[in-house]
Amino acid sequence: MPVLAPIGRAFLALLAVAGRLALFAAAGIGHAVRPPYYPRLVGKQMLEIGYFSLPVVGLTALFTGMVLALQSHSGFARFNAESAVATVVVLSITRELGPVMAGLMVAGRVGAAIAAEIGTMRVTEQIDALTTLSTNPFKYLVAPRLIAGLVTLPVLVLLADIVGVFGGYLVGIYRLEFNPANYLKLTWQYLETLDVVSGLVKAAAFGFIVTLMGCYHGFNSRGGAQGVGVATTNAVVSSSVLILGANYFITAAFFGT
Amino acid sequence: MAPVPKIRLGGVKKRFGDKVVLDGVDLEVAPGESVIIIGGSGTGKSVTLKCILGLLEPDAGRIEIDGEDVTKLAGRERERVNAKIGMLFQGAALFDSLPVWENVAFGLIEGKGADRKSAKAEALKALAQVGLTADVGEMWPADLSGGMRKRVGLARAVCARPEILFFDEPTTGLDPIMGDVINELIVKTVHEMGATALTITHDMASARKIGHRIAMLYQGRIVWAGPVADIDRSGNAFVDQFIHGRAEGPIKMAVRA
């Protein structure tokens, strides 16, 4: 049927991309665990991904926590459950909004930068030059970024959790007039270790996704400046979609019962 | 017994989709010889080099370096073979994220595990060899002119004292005087090192100056090969048209009106 053929072709193309991505990820992981290692490059990438993302992730978490407190207060007021605000803020931030918002912000900031840098290296033959200088580009470019993404995002998200909860606290105390000691008590009362740990596991997965997609699209960019632009866009869009998809599956694995 | 060729290509074929780029390339380069591959744009000169370097895998044929079949080498084995080769890329392909001296010393530090101090001393020597002072070593690639980039690229290619040197369009984009300076440097460094050189170019002045032998590539095959001195009396219509830059002749350029 002529209607089904394009659908089939698109599906096969999708499978081919998934296969290429899986092979790329496997090669990246393989090179990350085998020597030689590049600790200097890992450190540099950790600074790039973690330290320089702190302002944007911190601000996002702060305002998210503040808005969450306002929204949940106005919603819960309808059935006299205002006292749940602190609990809702801390659970939402640690389980969901901390890792997802940080992941998306890092995808926009870091994923794009990685794709643009590696893409430019591809189109200006710098990646070929690495090979001619007896240096494996996967080991030198991909592995340090994957390791840095995997390690740094959980730290970033832990800080985002603290800042986000603090944002909710500020609104709770100064605008909604909660008692500070009571707000803090409610924040801790129903918080479990698993809430934080699940968020950190998500963060590690999102860090891997963002760096992987940045490297993959940069590595496969073609055709000069326009190709690098396309690679950058694809890196941000695909890592954002994958973050949201992975978020569901990790949530289901932890809390799906 | 004739010496083993440093580089030997036998029946090398490569196609991209429907487009046949190399259609059975046969070429031998003797140790210490400087061979030039000439040919118009899109005739497969760069693809030939990339096949020898292992950046592309030929569809058929055999490539030997020092008598060893390197056609399908990968990983550490390929790195071992590439350690014999230095390459000057068309756009120099300098790493933007590293200062000039680290670009030059890259093969020593990352490829051969040399310590940074001794590698820097070697890099500064290589820069001096191409007429650049130590202060250029502290600059960044973005601060260099086109001619300086080519010189730094040449210094990087020769720094690790490779046995084989590849030059990809060494004078493209340079003014005639700077082009000749680069040609002189290539002749001098290749002679001093006793290296085997393979150059691809469409600049006949460059070909005549740096080559012992010239091979002409057309439609994926070597259509003529011989000593530089014979190029003007090759009796080959393709060569005559190319070296005189005539629009009329057996070479048909794909030009749309």
Side-chain angles (χ1 to χ4, degrees), chain B residues 78-100:
Chain B
R78 170 52 71 177
E79 285 173 21
R80 175 181 60 76
V81 171
N82 280 357
K84 296 180 183 180
I85 302 171
M87 170 137 177
L88 170 59
F89 285 83
Q90 187 173 347
L94 302 180
F95 305 127
D96 304 318
S97 56
L98 299 176
V100 165

Side-chain angles (χ1 to χ4, degrees), chain A residues 68-79:
Chain A
L68 203 54
L70 277 181
Q71 287 280 21
S72 52
H73 183 266
S74 70
F76 291 161
R78 293 174 190 170
F79 43 92

Side-chain angles (χ1 to χ4, degrees), chain A:
Chain A
M1 292 251 304
V3 183
L4 293 178
I7 298 171
R9 270 197 295 275
F11 186 66
L12 286 176
L14 183 69
L15 288 182
V17 170
R20 277 198 294 273
L21 183 60
L23 289 174
F24 188 91
I29 293 167
H31 284 290
V33 296
R34 288 198 310 271
Y37 305 109
Y38 293 98
R40 246 163 53 99
L41 291 179
V42 174
K44 191 178 163 201
Q45 290 304 322
M46 286 171 81
L47 270 183
E48 200 61 51
I49 297 169
Y51 183 72
F52 292 118
S53 297
L54 266 176
V56 67
V57 170
L59 276 175
T60 309
L62 182 73
F63 286 116
T64 303
M66 290 167 78
V67 168
L68 203 54
L70 277 181
Q71 287 280 21
S72 52
H73 183 266
S74 70
F76 291 161
R78 293 174 190 170
F79 43 92
N80 300 321
E82 293 95 327
S83 61
V85 166
T87 309
V88 166
V89 167
V90 73
L91 291 188
S92 306
I93 290 284
T94 54
R95 283 184 174 200
E96 283 299 323
L97 294 171
V100 171
M101 296 303 278
L104 292 177
M105 296 314 286
V106 170
R109 208 191 78 82
V110 176
I114 291 174
E117 186 181 358
I118 296 184
T120 304
M121 290 184 75
R122 166 62 76 199
V123 299
T124 56
E125 295 187 306
Q126 291 178 51
I127 293 181
D128 290 346
L130 278 176
T131 307
T132 65
L133 292 163
S134 300
T135 302
N136 189 310
F138 266 86
K139 239 177 222 324
Y140 191 79
L141 295 175
V142 179
R145 285 169 171 80
L146 290 182
I147 295 169
L150 200 68
V151 173
T152 312
L153 250 283
V155 179
L156 204 54
V157 165
L158 195 61
L159 294 171
D161 286 350
I162 294 166
V163 174
V165 171
F166 179 67
Y169 173 85
L170 286 180
V171 170
I173 303 309
Y174 295 106
R175 176 138 188 182
L176 306 176
E177 295 175 347
F178 277 93
N179 174 284
N182 198 33
Y183 188 96
L184 284 179
K185 186 182 153 221
L186 287 168
T187 297
W188 285 110
Q189 196 167 22
Y190 298 106
L191 182 67
E192 293 175 9
T193 309
L194 189 66
D195 299 324
V196 178
V197 169
S198 68
L200 299 186
V201 170
K202 285 180 179 181
F206 298 164
F208 182 76
I209 288 171
V210 169
T211 47
L212 177 71
M213 298 316 287
C215 291
Y216 175 78
H217 287 289
F219 231 79
N220 291 298
S221 66
R222 294 281 181 276
Q226 194 186 12
V228 175
V230 171
T232 308
T233 306
N234 287 345
V236 176
V237 172
S238 59
S239 51
S240 301
V241 171
L242 283 177
I243 282 173
L244 297 174
N247 183 44
Y248 172 79
F249 289 107
I250 299 172
T251 305
F254 273 101
F255 306 108
T257 50

